Amino acid sequence: MLRQYELVEKVLDYDPDADEALLNRAYVYTVQKHGSQKRASGDPYFSHPVEVAGLMTDLQLDQETIITALLHDTVEDTLATIEDIEANFGPEVARLVDGVTKLSKIEAMPEDERAAENLRKFLLAMSEDIRVLLVKLADRLHNMRTLHFIKKPEKRQRIARETMDIYAPLAERVGMYEYMREMQLLAFEQLEPEAFTTITKRLEELRGQDGGQVDAIALKIKQALAEAGLTVEVSGREKHPYSIWHKMAERHVSFEQVTDIMAFRVITENEADCYRAMGILHTTWQFLPGKFKDYISTPKNNGYRSLHTSLMYENSMRVEVQIRTREMHRRNEFGLAAHWAYKQSDSADGQVGWLRDLIEIVDASHDAEELLEHTRMAIYQDRIFAFTPKGALFQLPKGSSAVDFAFAVHTDLGLSCLGAKINGRHMPLRTTLQNGDVVEVIKGAGAEPQLSWLSFVVTGKARAAIRRNVRQKERAEVAAIGSKLFDEIAKKVPARIGKKAIRAAIERLDMEGPEDLMFAVGAAKLTDREVMEALVPGCTADFADDNEWSPRDRAISIKGMTPGVGFELAECCHPVPGDRIVGLRRKGETVLVHSIDCLELVNGVDADWLDLSWGKRSHGAVGRFSVTIYDRPGTLAEMAGLFAQNKSNVTSLAQSQLDHPFVTYSIDAEVQDLSHLARILSALRASDAVAQAERI
């Protein structure tokens, strides 16, 4: 552990203007506040914040960050408050400490919710000042270094999993690769102990057998470059166990089949020498096609710049080589921390533009599960590059679609996305993008996100925005149903209901506005009796029982609403516009719409029944058909052609029975209304290829 004078001297070495008295006071403050507290290792608790502060001095960060590191656990684990911190160390330190501090009130929450709330608060604070992230990463790194002292294996596993899923990817996204690699290695040791032990032993055996081969190859690379007139530094290392294990799992290969276990780094004097060195290496040894990556001309989102290539060295040995300048190397290893330390006056927005996406995800996520899912998607995926027609570059996760690209450009563009051209050709929105694709997003004034997009989008930003939009639409449509139900309920009240009565009811029900009331009615969160009592207290005394509440005097139209949002069309009977329909409404569920003769209605005795109507110009649903055709060549194609001729899209086709010479298929097809469905049935029955056709 760093002693007080050692820590202060380290700061003064790179920042002679630092406030020595303030640093000393912060050190003493954390020692006094943590007092006799102990860590799982048995060390005094204050040794942890002191070590975290030491990590911050290694990055040569400003004194406010060092003091924040010293104090980061005082509010959470001692009697100190944010107000105390502000009074003693100023508002800036107080704000940073608050950003790192966990909320005490969430300790009673379930594990996932607690993790999500921590992450939500952390991301919001991080967006305001990136130093919050730097302290948090150092805090997590030191905790991982002492994780083995925790006795409960399930707690070690939980912390390791959280580190692997959240903090190591965050370190990578801000370019702090040294932190990322060590976090991954320590988490891997806990999560996959057998694999860790096996790979570590194999690396030790390999090290004993190679007779200094890493140093020999590094020397050969340096000599080849020196002969061409380049002055460089070359270092070599084995990849760490997690990196090897990840490659084995990704490629489904054994340890012996992982050929590029050794990696070498070439440090040059300037950028031009990087390309010269690459050319020399490629002419000296055979390079592996598809393995060359130029992150100098096209840096990663986190600002990482380097040339990567793989060479076939002597004896068919594959080696990976990274080529960069000294300045690039410093930035690459410590990323945003290096940027902050050396250019505090500059904006780091170019390196952390992705933070804006994370904040959108925080705002859009509905619950803990969504937040954790979307955040992991946003920070932990391999990347591809795609371009707008004007040449703007966007980095996306592998597997991204045109919809993901649209949301990456701008959320509003994603929300109004109608189609896409990829490399000049109209392509389906679900098309997976490839490296270097040029994507033109086609938008429409009336376009809006579809629930089906969630089946193929892969970015957290797109998923969060789509889900939020669908939720808002669902809320509006449920509120519209509730408004119609409210009108029916209001007729039973022995008074004329106006705005004044509604405002009073909203206040009695502790709601914010009319929309909340209508949504609660539509979602069956309030009974008719509760609504009436809120409108006119005491007016329900004359009603004998609950049997008087469900029947409706007239049908409620669902015109203008979207199937699957405000209501669901029952899978058992597949009602279509024109059918006589009834709705089953249960608390917390969307209205389930059945045709009036559906046999499943007998199971709806516990639900509120709504007399529904399609309303004028309602159209669009899925009809289900049972079609028996003759089992001979061409009949299936002829049957499918009849749906196409009648402008119906077949969404599902499954063989349900084979009874030679007949085959029966169950078919789902999009229809406009009941008359459209009837026309399709008539066309099927008139065909020589079809033996029988029925609606089911």
Side-chain angles (χ1 to χ4, degrees), residues 229-243:
L230 288 179
T231 302
V232 298
E233 293 177 14
V234 181
S235 59
R237 60 174 176 81
E238 298 159 346
K239 292 187 175 179
H240 67 69
Y242 173 73
S243 177

Side-chain angles (χ1 to χ4, degrees), residues 281-316:
L281 294 178
H282 282 186
T283 53
T284 305
W285 294 283
Q286 180 185 352
F287 93 98
L288 300 175
K291 294 294 185 179
F292 169 64
K293 294 176 182 176
D294 185 350
Y295 294 120
I296 293 180
S297 65
T298 310
K300 292 185 179 182
N301 267 1
N302 57 21
Y304 178 93
R305 301 181 73 212
S306 184
L307 297 178
H308 289 197
T309 189
S310 289
L311 305 174
M312 190 67 73
Y313 191 69
E314 298 165 5
N315 303 321
S316 300

Side-chain angles (χ1 to χ4, degrees), residues 572-592:
C572 48
C573 53
H574 283 273
V576 299
D579 284 333
R580 180 80 173 82
I581 52 175
V582 65
L584 298 184
R585 184 182 64 145
R586 292 182 173 88
K587 186 174 181 179
E589 299 179 10
T590 54
V591 174
L592 190 60

